[in-house]
């Protein structure tokens, strides 16, 4: 199996910063892409940032210029550096990976359990 475990969430004041981490582990053959999604109370889950194995990135318009996604491929870990946080960034942040398991040919979607981020004064 494959597991994604997020860490780094917490409470931060507006204008502050947080760095989320997502560690992928298990019987991983290849990671094609990883991403971060978030879901605020009463809202649908939305894409925050996405990065491919080749390093191509894309961001939600609402976080461009403030958030940066990166990976440490050797450690199968993705990061989300969040700066200039706003009240509306409050949500549960979920890690996503499109990953091929050892012994299989096709990639599958995997999700972490989420880490809460609260931006409040």
């Amino acid at each position: 199996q494959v597991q994604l475990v997020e860490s780094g969430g917490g409470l931060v004041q507006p204008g502050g910063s947080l760095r989320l981490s997502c560690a992928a582990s298990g019987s991983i053959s290849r990671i094609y892409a990883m991403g971060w999604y978030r879901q605020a109370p009463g809202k649908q889950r939305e894409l925050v940032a996405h990065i491919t194995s080749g390093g191509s990135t894309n961001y939600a318009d609402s976080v461009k210029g403030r958030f940066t996604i990166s990976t440490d491929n050797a450690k199968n870990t993705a990061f989300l550096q969040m700066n200039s946080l706003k009240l509306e960034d409050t949500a549960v942040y979920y890690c996503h990976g499109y990953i091929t398991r050892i012994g299989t040919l096709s990639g599958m979607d995997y999700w972490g359990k989420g880490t809460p981020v609260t931006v409040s004064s």
Side-chain angles (χ1 to χ4, degrees):
Q1 279 292 352
V2 173
Q3 299 83 36
L4 300 180
V5 178
E6 304 99 334
S7 61
L11 174 64
V12 63
Q13 291 185 340
S17 298
L18 280 176
R19 188 189 195 212
L20 305 183
S21 299
C22 171
S25 63
S27 56
I28 296 171
S29 175
R30 181 178 176 182
I31 298 177
Y32 289 93
M34 295 188 77
W36 290 93
Y37 289 71
R38 67 185 181 187
Q39 187 167 17
K43 295 188 177 181
Q44 290 188 329
R45 190 174 298 190
E46 63 176 358
L47 173 69
V48 176
H50 177 267
I51 185 167
T52 68
S53 58
S56 297
T57 59
N58 68 288
Y59 297 89
D61 288 342
S62 60
V63 307
K64 283 181 180 177
R66 300 188 298 122
F67 291 10
T68 303
I69 188 170
S70 61
T71 56
D72 182 337
N73 294 329
K75 296 182 178 179
N76 290 336
T77 300
F79 304 96
L80 185 67
Q81 178 66 44
M82 306 186 293
N83 298 328
S84 302
L85 282 161
K86 303 177 180 180
L87 296 176
E88 52 263 41
D89 294 319
T90 295
V92 178
Y93 284 70
Y94 297 90
C95 179
H96 168 265
Y98 188 68
I99 298 168
T100 301
R101 289 191 299 157
I102 294 172
T104 66
L105 297 177
S106 299
M108 291 181 60
D109 294 303
Y110 293 91
W111 293 90
K113 294 183 177 180
T115 184
V117 171
T118 302
V119 184
S120 175
S121 55

